[in-house]
Amino acid sequence: MGDIPTTRLGSTDMDISRIGFGAWAIGGTDWSFSWGPQDDADSVATIHRAVEAGVNWIDTAAVYGLGHSEEVVAKALAGLPEADRPYVFTKAGLVWNANDRASAPKRIMAAASVRRELEDSLRRLRVERIDLYQVHWPDTGAALEFSGQADPDAVPPTPLEEYWQTMADLVEEGKVRAIGLSNHDVPQLEIAESIAHVDAIQPQFSLLKRASAGELSWAAVHHTGGIVYQPLHSGLLTGAFSAERVAALPNDDWRKRFPEFTAELAANLALVEALRPIAAAHGTSVASIAIAWVLAWPGVNGAIVGARRPEQIDSWIDAAAIELTAVDLAGIDSALRATGAGEGPTRP
């Protein structure tokens, strides 16, 4: 087992590695937020490599690959000794149409739906209890779309007070160890906290998406764990992307239709170039610097980093041990301002 720094996840009893394995991309193809084709054997080998390197938690979701990511995680866990098995975090609240895999899933957190999702996740993951069960998005009763278009088939949403009570009930019943909220803002976190403690939050946070600093500050004050997703911003901050590579992405790769990979691409790639000298000074990769920057923020216990092949783990696994200096942080701040890349505060 490798040696990655660990920290306590909020007020839970779990000590987690500062980096967790993100299982979105291993969900495979043929669904609305696919990353394109993925070989399951590669996925299992990649998870095993992450665990060997010291990663002790996996973050997945029922919707990733419409159940397939959880099944692949189960295969990976089955190939590990019991003592080496990582914590398993998953999510509920995005419900798909089994007859139309290409349609966007709906944000639904009705009690019966959540309980059905939980039982399905337990079965797919082949575990008796979920270590951290998270609400993927606030319930709107509508499709998860980012186009701004209304969903004509939306159903009445379940109030946060109701679905958070359902989540708390699952803890009392022993089916989940801890509960969290992903993609919820501070007012929503306050409502949830008045009902049952928010064990963890999971906002998007990276050099390119910095607006969740307020939620992370809230977490630090409330003894709530903070795990953030997309610190490498879906690969853009690895240092391996170019305009040509974006153009060559498969047509079913969701990234091809998002502004970070289209209208904003030039500024984002300019930021990556500005990070290269900082990475060279630390003898590491641009990806590791991007992750280390996220980990430097108060309220962040861990960063979720995805990978699709074992060798990708080696390109950023040192990030958890990198301590950025005041000079590094000032340089990154200047690069963000000069390129205009991303949005939100520019330094911890």
Side-chain angles (χ1 to χ4, degrees), residues 19-311:
I19 294 176
F21 181 86
W24 179 4
I26 68 171
T29 191
D30 190 29
W31 65 293
S32 57
F33 290 95
S34 165
W35 293 60
Q38 173 69 14
D39 182 82
D40 289 350
D42 281 347
S43 300
V44 170
T46 303
I47 291 173
H48 287 175
R49 175 67 193 117
V51 173
E52 290 169 4
V55 171
N56 75 349
W57 53 289
I58 296 173
D59 182 84
T60 184
V63 77
Y64 296 161
L66 310 188
H68 189 63
S69 175
E70 291 184 332
E71 293 171 342
V72 174
V73 169
K75 290 179 183 178
L77 295 178
L80 293 170
E82 186 71 30
D84 294 342
R85 291 188 182 182
Y87 296 123
V88 177
F89 302 168
T90 193
K91 311 177 195 76
L94 291 182
V95 179
W96 62 88
N97 181 349
N99 297 317
D100 184 7
R101 292 177 60 90
S103 64
K106 290 184 182 294
R107 302 187 192 185
I108 296 175
M109 280 295 297
S113 181
V114 172
R115 289 182 174 278
R116 182 172 58 252
E117 282 203 78
L118 174 64
E119 295 302 326
D120 287 344
S121 288
L122 290 170
R123 173 180 50 79
R124 286 190 293 259
L125 289 164
R126 294 182 237 162
V127 298
E128 295 182 357
R129 182 177 68 166
I130 303 297
D131 292 303
L132 176 64
Y133 203 40
Q134 303 158 96
V135 180
H136 210 148
W137 286 87
D139 186 331
T140 62
L144 179 68
E145 287 282 12
F146 299 96
S147 62
Q149 297 179 346
D151 179 1
D153 299 316
V155 298
T158 301
L160 189 157
E161 294 89 341
E162 292 184 21
Y163 65 72
W164 192 241
Q165 184 60 60
T166 299
M167 297 289 283
D169 291 344
L170 297 177
V171 175
E172 290 297 319
E173 294 164 18
K175 294 186 175 182
V176 305
R177 185 174 189 167
I179 50 177
L181 291 166
S182 180
N183 299 303
H184 286 62
D185 61 25
V186 169
Q188 291 168 326
L189 296 176
E190 290 283 2
I191 292 171
E193 184 70 11
S194 71
I195 297 164
H197 181 53
V198 180
D199 292 316
I201 64 168
Q202 187 186 138
Q204 182 182 24
F205 196 67
S206 73
L207 281 161
L208 300 180
K209 289 290 184 181
R210 309 182 297 272
S212 295
E215 284 73 35
L216 293 169
S217 295
W218 184 95
V221 170
H222 289 81
H223 307 290
T224 290
I227 55 176
V228 299
Y229 71 90
Q230 290 189 312
L232 294 178
H233 210 82
S234 308
L236 264 182
L237 298 174
T238 60
F241 261 89
S242 64
E244 292 75 20
R245 182 177 174 185
V246 171
L249 288 172
N251 289 332
D252 61 350
D253 190 317
W254 68 272
R255 293 173 291 184
K256 292 196 79 165
R257 62 183 187 271
F258 272 66
E260 294 95 325
F261 289 83
T262 54
E264 300 167 11
L265 183 62
N268 296 339
L269 293 179
L271 173 64
V272 169
E273 293 307 309
L275 296 177
R276 292 192 190 278
I278 299 173
H282 282 269
T284 192
S285 65
V286 168
S288 291
I289 294 300
I291 297 167
W293 183 87
V294 164
L295 292 174
W297 280 79
V300 176
N301 295 138
I304 301 165
V305 188
R308 302 175 72 175
R309 299 184 306 278
E311 63 269 20

Side-chain angles (χ1 to χ4, degrees), residues 210-211 342-346:
R210 309 182 297 272
E343 56 186 1
T346 54

